[in-house]
Amino acid sequence: HGMAKGVGWDPVGRYIASQGDDRAVLVWESREWSLAGRIEEPFLRTSQKTLFRRLSWSPDGQFVCAPHAYKKPAHIAVVLRRPTGTDTSQWRQECDFVGHKAPVVVGAFSPRIFTRGPPAAAEAAAGDGGGAASAAYSVCALGGQDCVVSVWVTCQPKALVVVRDLFKEDVLDLSWAADGSTLLCCSMDGSVAAIQIEPHEVGTPLPPAEQAARLSQLYGAAAAAGAADLPLSADLLALEAAAAQPPPPAPRRAAAG
C-alpha cells in the first residue's frame, strides 16, 4: 500500500525486511515468501516524506534497525528483535535510538560483532548460554535529514559518536568497511566522508571464525553455508536436536512366576 523505500536480507537468509510509504516494516519468510510480520506502531506518527528508508540487519541476524520512526518529541530509529519462539509474528521493539532533530533516513549495522573483553571471553559466554547478550554486541550508524551521523552500540542507551559538522545537507547513505572500523558517509551536498572508529571506542571485533561459530550456535550448521532452510530460532534448534535423540529403551517386564 505504498512505495517500498528500503529492503534488506537477514544475514543468514531466512528473512527479508522492507520499509515504505505505508508507515510499516514488513518481514517476509524466504522459504515460502510469506509475510512473517508487519510492524506499524513506531511509524504511525511519521509525517515527512523521505526519498528512502534504508533499514539494516545486525550481523548476527537478531536485530533489524528501521529508520524514520517517531516518538514524541523526537525522530528515532527503532531496533526490532527477531522472534525466539514458534510465533514468527512477534517482532518486538527492543530499543530506540533517540537524538536526531529530523527524520532518520538510513541505518547501517557494522558487519562485525564486538566485545569489550578478549574475543575468547565472548565465545565462552555464548557457549554457557544466557551470557552472550552481555558479552557480545553490535554497532549501528544512523544518518538523517538533520545532516548528522550518529553511531550507536546496541547495549548502550546513548550514542557512542555524534558528528554534526560533516555535511550541509541530508545524509543519503552509509557503508561500513569489512573490518567494521571505517564508516563511509555521503550527502545530498555532493560530498563523501570517512569516519574512523578506534578499538578503544567501540570494542574488539570477534575474529571471523568466532563470528561464524556464533551464527552456527544460533541457527545451526546451515548458517555457515548461507542456506535458507534454517530453524526459525535457537529455541526451535534445541527442540529439533532433542527430537533427533533416540528414544529411551522400554522398561523390561519382570518374568512371571
Side-chain angles (χ1 to χ4, degrees):
H1 304 292
M3 184 180 295
K5 293 187 172 181
V7 64
W9 275 99
D10 164 13
V12 293
R14 168 69 72 177
Y15 296 111
I16 298 171
S18 65
Q19 187 173 2
D21 280 338
D22 56 353
R23 298 179 179 178
V25 168
L26 276 63
V27 183
W28 303 87
E29 206 281 322
S30 65
R31 289 184 303 180
E32 300 177 355
W33 301 110
S34 58
L35 186 63
R38 181 182 177 92
I39 303 94
E40 298 180 343
E41 197 282 330
F43 314 102
L44 294 177
R45 287 170 289 281
T46 58
S47 57
Q48 290 182 270
K49 296 291 185 180
T50 61
L51 293 175
F52 39 74
R53 301 170 190 187
R54 304 188 197 276
L55 41 67
S56 178
W57 289 87
S58 63
D60 61 2
Q62 290 294 292
F63 304 103
V64 58
C65 177
H68 200 61
Y70 185 81
K71 179 186 289 184
K72 190 176 180 178
H75 296 277
I76 64 174
V78 299
V79 178
L80 306 171
R81 177 180 279 275
R82 188 189 196 104
T84 56
T86 57
D87 187 355
T88 60
S89 66
Q90 297 303 310
W91 293 80
R92 66 180 177 86
Q93 194 168 330
E94 179 75 7
C95 64
D96 304 328
F97 294 150
V98 183
H100 283 259
K101 305 300 183 183
V104 180
V105 295
V106 53
F109 269 104
S110 167
R112 303 297 293 273
I113 300 172
F114 293 86
T115 177
R116 286 294 181 189
E123 184 182 27
D128 292 341
S134 60
Y137 52 86
S138 299
V139 173
C140 187
L142 305 178
Q145 291 183 341
D146 54 1
C147 315
V148 171
V149 174
S150 58
V151 179
W152 303 76
V153 174
T154 53
C155 60
Q156 295 180 0
K158 295 184 178 181
L160 179 71
V161 175
V162 178
V163 185
R164 305 182 187 278
D165 55 356
L166 276 180
F167 304 122
K168 296 180 180 179
E169 296 188 33
D170 301 5
V171 180
L172 295 181
D173 204 1
L174 304 168
S175 181
W176 289 93
D179 64 2
S181 65
T182 303
L183 175 67
L184 289 180
C185 323
C186 66
S187 168
M188 195 174 289
D189 64 16
S191 61
V192 175
I195 299 174
Q196 186 74 30
I197 307 294
E198 298 296 333
H200 71 271
E201 296 175 311
V202 71
T204 304
L206 292 182
E210 292 184 18
Q211 185 161 320
R214 179 171 172 81
L215 292 179
S216 294
Q217 183 188 29
L218 288 169
Y219 309 110
D229 190 19
L230 297 166
L232 294 175
S233 70
D235 293 342
L236 288 183
L237 187 64
L239 289 174
E240 290 179 3
Q245 297 296 320
R252 298 180 62 183
R253 289 188 177 183

